[in-house]
Amino acid sequence: MKSLGTRSDREATGTSPQQDTPPADEATMVRPKGRIVVGLDGSYGSAAAVRWAAREAAELGIVLDVVAAWTDADPERPTLDRPDSPLSVAGGRLERALARLVRAPIPPERIVATPLRGSAGEVLVARARDARLLVPGTSGIECPPIPGPTGLYCLRHSATPVVCVPAPDA
């Protein structure tokens, strides 16, 4: 490991510390560390989570990464080309969420929206592996102030800090 000297040594000699910069990693370039991952499932609770995460990302000047997880109802008979397919539904949710986000008073500088195949909890935990925060919303018909199954999975399995955003009272 290379010594950078003390601060007073650098000031006296007018040198600045030289650090070996590692080469850019493709995964880091695609998914920068300065991002918040939020799950979107079409529920009122996930809409509240997206709004909260968007405000936080805008305030911090980092990327908002909106993820809609989807699975085939019958893995033996995929329906990817139908308008009512799970992938199409997830894509539609993302489009509507993006339309609302770009009209926000202060939208995040950069938004990434991705439909990803798999179990919601597993997809979110994997996607947030190198993120700053993971934000699932609460779920259910009444939007309780506690996380649903996906939020609980994220709390149990994520190495990334998790913020569960309860839906405001209707």
Side-chain angles (χ1 to χ4, degrees):
M1 183 169 163
K2 187 157 83 172
S3 172
L4 302 175
T6 65
R7 181 177 180 186
S8 58
D9 290 341
R10 291 190 305 270
E11 288 172 354
T13 61
T15 61
S16 61
Q18 296 286 339
Q19 295 180 341
D20 294 325
T21 307
D25 182 331
E26 185 177 331
T28 307
M29 290 171 37
V30 174
R31 297 185 337 203
K33 183 134 178 96
R35 67 193 174 88
I36 295 174
V37 174
V38 60
L40 178 68
D41 67 2
S43 70
Y44 187 64
S46 75
V50 169
R51 286 190 303 273
W52 183 90
R55 284 191 303 271
E56 194 71 13
E59 185 176 302
L60 295 171
I62 60 177
V63 174
L64 177 65
D65 190 348
V66 186
V67 175
W70 64 275
T71 57
D72 278 316
D74 182 359
E76 298 296 320
R77 298 176 50 198
T79 57
L80 296 179
D81 56 345
R82 293 181 26 196
D84 63 340
S85 74
L87 175 58
S88 297
V89 170
R93 287 180 181 149
L94 288 169
E95 287 176 17
R96 288 187 294 280
L98 288 174
R100 286 188 297 272
L101 286 172
V102 297
R103 291 187 306 242
I106 303 174
E109 189 173 313
R110 184 166 172 229
I111 302 169
V112 176
T114 313
L116 294 174
R117 183 182 211 166
S119 165
E122 291 173 4
V123 164
L124 290 171
V125 167
R127 183 73 176 187
R129 182 180 60 245
D130 54 357
R132 188 175 287 187
L133 288 175
L134 171 56
V135 184
T138 58
S139 63
I141 295 171
E142 297 176 10
C143 291
I146 59 171
T150 299
L152 289 174
Y153 183 92
C154 292
L155 286 168
R156 288 184 183 129
H157 298 281
S158 180
T160 301
V162 178
V163 175
C164 292
V165 177
D169 293 333

